[in-house]
Amino acid sequence: MDLHPFLLDQWTARFADASPAIRFHLAGSTGPSWTLAEIAALGDTPLDLTNTPLGYSSAEGSRALREAIGAYHGVDPDWVVITTGGSEALSLLFCVLERPGADILVPDPGYPAYDAMARAWRLKTQTYRLTREARYAQTADVVLAAMTAHSVAAIVNTPHNPTGSVMKRSELALLAGEAAGRGMALIVDEVFHPIYFGMPQPSAADLDNVIVVGDMSKALSLPGLRLGWIIDRDAERRSRLITARSYFAISHSPLLEIVATHALTHSAAILARAQAVADANLRAVEAMVENLRGLLDWVKPEGGTTVFPWFVDGRDSRPFCEAAAAKGVLIAPGDCFGQSHHLRIGIANHCEGLEHGLEIAAAIIKA
């Protein structure tokens, strides 16, 4: 099957070895970077990998790691299946949900891989629209309105990429119950949880009829581990997921599982740093938008690590992003998310200096 070009990945890859080098990488959605040494030093007992056997782990992941993830989300560790990042989690879920003629509900705008990977598993996609006029609010009614007689699941991403909107727990519970009554599963993508700018909320993993996807890459700021998970209380479906993973990947790296377990055990320090960086940088973006009033507008995000402003005059953002990249500031053009007059700015990667990158971007917009 031919997949649509992954525009976001192509955009960032294009500038990986740019000359002059990119100084402000604002096109991504991860938190502030950590070295292995910094992670290993967390806690009273430094992590030591030197005596780790380089064999296979189990397909569902080590018990220690699943217990750490269960504690992180407040659920039974037996519900957890380890995956190679959030992408494999989605692929496994689409694999076991696929049936002839079935469709899945996905947000628009939304993470481009939802649509591409669903189609790769021959699932049709039905989009539910998150609108600027409604401040990108995520409600059960908006999702259910897109349902068809062939819908097998709906995906909710909260906090949402790229807009930063959050579906309230009451709406998630309502949607999960309605979906169950219609024979649908509710997949909640929580890779940006628990980074919130207003009232925080707990994971949805304990709600009935909810499958949670999480990973170490976004809020937990460790994308190089390539480690994610599925939380599913349905034992029969979970068994099918583990079987599929046995064929697809066999297991994850035991080295990376040990690092991830250590990181999750000390996740409070990692999350505190990510939250502090995101809070400070969100204020910087807010100041930039205010300075560019009449040229740029936005809906202030409620959580996550990205903002999704737009050009008031409706211009295509790609020429601006090209010009910014030439000045060392990498911002993702909105056409990567199907909305060309928008641009996505990552706010959690740079611990310092983001204000200067935004100043360069603002000067280009004003020129």
Side-chain angles (χ1 to χ4, degrees):
M1 169 174 281
D2 289 331
L3 297 176
H4 297 305
F6 196 168
L7 296 181
L8 180 60
D9 190 61
Q10 288 181 350
W11 176 257
T12 55
R14 173 181 165 189
F15 296 98
D17 299 309
S19 181
I22 295 297
R23 291 181 292 152
F24 304 97
H25 196 311
L26 311 183
S29 55
T30 63
S33 64
W34 292 75
T35 66
L36 179 57
E38 289 170 335
I39 292 295
L42 292 174
D44 296 329
T45 306
L47 179 65
D48 182 2
L49 299 172
T50 54
N51 293 316
T52 303
L54 298 179
Y56 289 116
S57 180
S58 59
E60 67 267 39
S62 73
R63 182 69 190 179
L65 178 55
R66 288 184 290 118
E67 286 180 348
I69 293 167
Y72 183 71
H73 286 274
V75 297
D76 188 332
D78 286 341
W79 298 356
V80 178
V81 178
I82 303 305
T83 63
T84 306
S87 8
E88 190 193 27
L90 293 171
S91 183
L92 289 170
L93 285 167
F94 295 158
C95 172
V96 302
L97 290 169
E98 189 275 336
R99 65 175 186 241
D103 66 58
I104 189 166
L105 312 183
V106 301
D108 177 25
Y111 184 50
Y114 294 150
D115 180 78
M117 294 178 71
R119 291 177 183 275
W121 283 107
R122 303 189 185 282
L123 282 162
K124 298 177 182 177
T125 56
Q126 302 291 335
T127 59
Y128 60 90
R129 185 89 170 128
L130 304 179
T131 66
R132 181 191 307 164
E133 294 73 21
R135 302 188 64 79
Y136 302 113
Q138 300 191 66
T139 64
D141 287 347
V142 166
V143 180
L144 291 170
M147 189 193 71
T148 76
H150 305 289
S151 300
V152 294
I155 295 179
V156 167
N157 178 205
T158 180
H160 178 258
N161 176 19
T163 71
S165 67
V166 171
M167 182 176 275
K168 293 181 173 60
R169 184 175 174 85
S170 58
E171 288 292 318
L172 283 168
L174 175 61
L175 178 56
E178 290 288 333
R182 305 179 195 203
M184 290 170 49
L186 176 59
I187 301 168
V188 181
D189 181 345
E190 287 191 348
V191 298
F192 296 101
H193 169 83
I195 302 298
Y196 296 100
F197 305 119
M199 181 66 69
Q201 65 180 38
S203 169
D206 65 332
L207 295 175
D208 289 338
N209 194 41
V210 164
I211 305 167
V212 158
V213 170
D215 73 11
M216 300 294 297
S217 300
K218 306 302 183 182
L220 286 163
S221 310
L222 301 173
L225 293 184
R226 298 306 306 131
L227 196 143
W229 53 85
I230 298 167
I231 300 174
D232 189 355
R233 70 173 67 203
D234 185 314
E236 187 277 332
R237 186 168 52 216
R238 199 167 60 244
S239 176
R240 294 172 62 205
L241 289 166
I242 294 169
T243 296
R245 186 155 204 268
S246 297
Y247 283 114
F248 296 169
I250 302 176
S251 76
H252 207 280
S253 161
L255 283 171
L256 300 183
E257 288 193 353
I258 290 171
V259 176
T261 303
H262 184 78
L264 284 162
T265 301
H266 303 287
S267 61
I270 296 172
L271 293 171
R273 184 183 182 212
Q275 184 74 61
V277 171
D279 285 342
N281 288 342
L282 181 62
R283 290 192 292 270
V285 174
E286 188 168 22
M288 180 190 76
V289 173
E290 179 64 27
N291 182 44
L292 294 172
R293 184 176 294 277
L295 296 172
L296 204 65
D297 205 350
W298 75 333
V299 173
K300 187 176 180 179
E302 299 171 286
T305 63
T306 62
V307 299
F308 200 50
W310 64 88
F311 284 107
V312 172
D313 62 7
R315 77 182 79 166
D316 185 345
S317 69
R318 187 166 278 259
F320 156 74
C321 291
E322 298 269 7
K327 296 285 189 179
V329 182
L330 191 62
I331 294 171
D335 57 21
C336 296
F337 301 89
Q339 298 195 16
S340 62
H341 52 296
H342 282 254
L343 46 114
R344 193 190 73 171
I345 302 173
I347 60 169
N349 186 23
H350 276 271
C351 294
E352 56 186 24
L354 179 131
E355 296 93 338
H356 184 47
L358 295 178
E359 288 171 1
I360 295 171
I364 295 169
I365 292 173
K366 287 180 174 180

